[in-house]
Amino acid sequence: MNSTRSYKKQLGFTLVEMAVVLIILGFLLAAALLPLQAQRNIAAQLKTEEILAGAKVALIGFAQTHGRLPCPATNGGSDVFPDDMGTANPNASGGCVVQTGFLPAKTLGLQSVDAQGYAVDAWQNRIRYAVTKANNDAFTTTNGMNDLGVALLKPDLKVCASISPSDCTNRIHLIDNAAAVIFSLGATANQPGGGADENQNLTTPINTTFVSHAMTMPTSANGEFDHMVTWLSPYILYNAMITAGQLH
């Protein structure tokens, strides 16, 4: 009888002990996963930076070949904004259907695309692209830039440190004459709750002001922000086109 009670006590103690071990293992597993997730996110950011850099090179190469920049691709599902499957809209040279849309991966010959042919970042979110409509769409029209000449070209896309007026003045903005802006929506692209700065970047179909700054949390002044933004300097574009004989 005593041995049976002793066995039951030992069994009860073992179950409690196992529960404690499982709890400890749970904490250890959670602690191990957090750094792993952070490492994956850093790797995705680095990969996306490479993709955005490659997009700029592709845009410059396109301009050197065609004497203009491509229009954005659209995905509106209508006659006005059709699904372009990663092709610039319009494909022929001229004014663009939209100023802000998707990076035309098929037109640029990019390889990192989704099943529909749109350029994607490391999180498999479609990369956005905007092109200036300055000088009556000269930047996307065949011979439009060359006919005017460098001295008269005035690209007007602006990238600011924030959409707040104090962070988007002529003194503080990052650039006020970009020919094109390319950006990733970051890891949280498919999640609601983006802040004012993210919403500014998503203004469509016409947008001339974009925001780029370090990642912020939802509790920050302008809300959550994890977009990765880059832009095409007109001077780099002009020099490349002059070298290729596409601009004077």
Side-chain angles (χ1 to χ4, degrees):
M1 187 71 174
N2 290 338
S3 62
T4 303
R5 290 178 180 176
S6 176
Y7 172 77
K8 288 183 178 180
K9 287 182 180 179
Q10 289 177 4
L11 182 61
F13 180 76
T14 302
L15 289 175
V16 171
E17 187 176 47
M18 287 178 62
V20 172
V21 169
L22 289 174
I23 292 172
I24 294 173
L25 286 175
F27 282 124
L28 291 175
L29 181 61
L33 288 177
L34 285 176
L36 180 60
Q37 182 61 35
Q39 290 175 16
R40 288 177 176 173
N41 197 46
I42 291 172
Q45 289 175 356
L46 293 174
K47 179 61 177 178
T48 299
E49 287 178 358
E50 292 179 6
I51 293 171
L52 294 177
K56 284 204 295 186
V57 171
L59 286 170
I60 292 171
F62 183 93
Q64 287 181 308
T65 301
H66 300 278
R68 63 184 178 88
L69 291 172
C71 289
T74 61
N75 183 26
S78 69
D79 292 336
V80 179
F81 303 119
D83 191 332
D84 301 311
M85 304 297 284
T87 302
N89 187 355
N91 192 29
S93 62
C96 300
V97 174
V98 297
Q99 182 178 35
T100 302
F102 299 98
L103 188 66
K106 186 178 294 185
T107 300
L108 295 171
L110 300 176
Q111 299 302 313
S112 183
V113 299
D114 62 15
Q116 288 73 44
Y118 291 90
V120 292
D121 59 21
W123 296 279
Q124 298 303 300
N125 299 315
R126 291 177 181 175
I127 295 174
R128 305 303 176 96
Y129 165 66
V131 64
T132 181
K133 292 179 69 65
N135 299 106
N136 295 317
D137 294 307
F139 285 79
T140 56
T141 302
T142 298
N143 295 323
M145 296 174 68
N146 194 47
D147 288 345
L148 285 175
V150 172
L152 295 179
L153 293 173
K154 304 293 181 184
D156 59 355
L157 299 187
K158 181 187 292 187
V159 182
C160 303
S162 170
I163 197 55
S164 326
S166 61
D167 293 326
C168 200
T169 64
N170 289 335
R171 182 175 61 84
I172 300 177
H173 63 240
L174 304 176
I175 187 171
D176 69 346
N177 64 344
V181 174
I182 314 105
F183 60 101
S184 158
L185 303 185
T188 62
N190 296 323
Q191 300 177 17
D197 291 343
E198 285 193 350
N199 290 335
Q200 177 61 36
N201 287 345
L202 297 175
T203 302
T204 58
I206 302 297
N207 189 12
T208 59
T209 301
F210 298 84
V211 176
S212 176
H213 59 72
M215 184 170 61
T216 57
M217 303 301 290
T219 53
S220 66
N222 275 3
E224 183 180 50
F225 186 90
D226 67 346
H227 289 182
M228 299 177 65
V229 184
T230 188
W231 52 87
L232 184 56
S233 163
Y235 311 113
I236 294 175
L237 176 64
Y238 298 162
N239 286 337
M241 293 180 68
I242 289 170
T243 300
Q246 293 282 8
L247 187 62
H248 70 277

